[in-house]
Amino acid sequence: NSTAVPGVERVFTAAVRERFLRDGRVNLAPDSGLVTRLQGEVARYQLHILASNRDDRVLEYRIETELRVTVVDRRQGKILLQQPVMVTTEYVITERIIPTEIARERALHAAAQDAGERLVSLLLDRF
């Protein structure tokens, strides 16, 4: 996690892991037993205002997240793939803090799920 958002990497890691498990085409193993290793970094997390009212009060945000993904063949020490993956999602805020935070968390999880699907497709359909 290279962002200022604590713990965001855990959300993305869990979503990617869950998507690989659901797909079933590869086996996940402890790091020491791997032939091929997938490494990821949450490189960027930015909020962009999509809508505001006449008083300049924000009504809707877009979250843009950039993941940097690297796949390494550990036997040959060769990088097989190194690519950024961008995901975006939006959420609407309210005047109350708790519903707004719930909306932000749901948007973050939706972005992580999207990233998981993209990574599985990118990696498994490529090799």
Side-chain angles (χ1 to χ4, degrees):
N1 183 8
S2 297
T3 74
V5 181
V8 71
E9 77 281 1
R10 288 190 297 272
V11 175
F12 281 89
T13 298
V16 169
R17 176 178 287 280
E18 186 266 327
R19 185 65 183 105
F20 272 109
L21 289 171
R22 200 168 20 141
D23 180 86
R25 288 186 274 175
V26 296
N27 293 322
L28 302 180
D31 192 43
S32 61
L34 296 178
V35 173
T36 304
R37 181 176 188 190
L38 169 64
Q39 300 169 191
E41 171 192 7
V42 182
R44 188 170 57 86
Y45 176 98
Q46 289 184 318
L47 288 176
H48 298 279
I49 297 171
L50 291 182
S52 59
N53 65 13
R54 291 182 194 187
D55 300 325
D56 285 334
R57 188 177 160 282
V58 176
L59 302 173
E60 186 175 7
Y61 281 109
R62 171 181 290 134
I63 300 173
E64 288 184 0
T65 310
E66 178 185 352
L67 308 174
R68 293 188 186 145
V69 179
T70 305
V71 178
V72 179
D73 180 326
R74 293 182 67 176
R75 286 182 285 188
Q76 298 178 14
K78 180 180 173 184
I79 294 176
L80 302 175
L81 175 75
Q82 193 166 33
Q83 181 169 334
V85 174
M86 301 291 292
V87 290
T88 62
T89 189
E90 293 85 29
Y91 69 99
V92 176
I93 66 169
T94 68
E95 293 180 11
R96 297 186 350 240
I97 293 172
I98 300 294
T100 295
E101 185 58 24
I102 291 169
R104 188 190 68 78
E105 285 291 320
R106 286 182 179 162
L108 179 61
H109 283 275
Q113 292 296 319
D114 185 27
E117 289 181 23
R118 287 183 189 196
L119 282 172
V120 167
S121 178
L122 173 71
L123 298 173
L124 298 184
D125 294 341
R126 178 183 177 103
F127 296 107

